[in-house]
Amino acid sequence: MQSEQLKQQVIDAIEEMKGNDITCLDVSELTSVTDYMIIASGTSNRHVKSVADNVIDKCKQSGARPLGTEGQEKSEWVLVDMGDVVVHVMMPATRAFYDLERLWEHSEEQQATELS
């Protein structure tokens, strides 16, 4: 699956579970590790885990397997590494504290509404 298709599939899976404040960062020019970082917020630990689980399930259904996941135990910040797309689903306070958007501020940022 190409990274553009995978990116859209991940965004659709997050939107399906009502993930909040979805941001897609194109980091392909800044790192060789991944092409896109998608950051979203959940309303509770259970919601964060559910959003991340839906991303994993939807990607598996299309044949894309995650390379790894982190943070599902506490579910304040769940990272799903899909290779070309890295997904961060976070509680709002955790997202504000780590401020990944600022860390990658030289990337091209798009809100999910711009991508659909």
Side-chain angles (χ1 to χ4, degrees):
M1 180 179 294
Q2 294 181 359
S3 60
E4 285 288 326
Q5 292 171 315
L6 183 59
K7 172 187 78 168
Q8 192 56 53
Q9 186 171 19
V10 166
I11 291 169
D12 292 344
I14 294 169
E15 288 177 338
E16 183 177 297
M17 295 301 292
K18 308 287 192 243
N20 299 322
D21 301 322
I22 304 167
T23 301
C24 179
L25 304 174
D26 182 346
V27 296
S28 59
E29 299 295 322
L30 303 174
T31 181
S32 61
V33 175
T34 190
D35 290 337
Y36 297 101
M37 285 195 190
I38 299 176
I39 306 166
S41 297
T43 57
S44 67
N45 294 50
R46 179 175 280 167
H47 185 223
V48 167
K49 184 172 180 352
S50 296
V51 171
D53 286 346
N54 196 52
V55 168
I56 293 167
D57 290 344
K58 294 297 180 180
C59 289
K60 281 183 179 178
Q61 288 173 11
S62 68
R65 298 251 179 229
L67 300 176
T69 60
E70 292 290 330
Q72 290 180 307
E73 302 79 35
K74 294 185 180 181
S75 299
E76 291 211 12
W77 178 355
V78 179
L79 181 142
V80 181
D81 184 352
M82 298 299 301
D84 290 340
V85 177
V86 174
V87 184
H88 301 272
V89 185
M90 310 166 94
M91 291 291 296
T94 305
R95 185 172 179 174
F97 181 79
Y98 288 100
D99 198 8
L100 295 180
E101 289 92 341
R102 188 177 56 78
L103 180 66
W104 293 94
E105 68 187 347
H106 297 293
S107 67
E108 182 179 325
E109 180 178 337
Q110 295 179 321
Q111 299 298 319
T113 53
E114 297 173 12
L115 300 169
S116 300

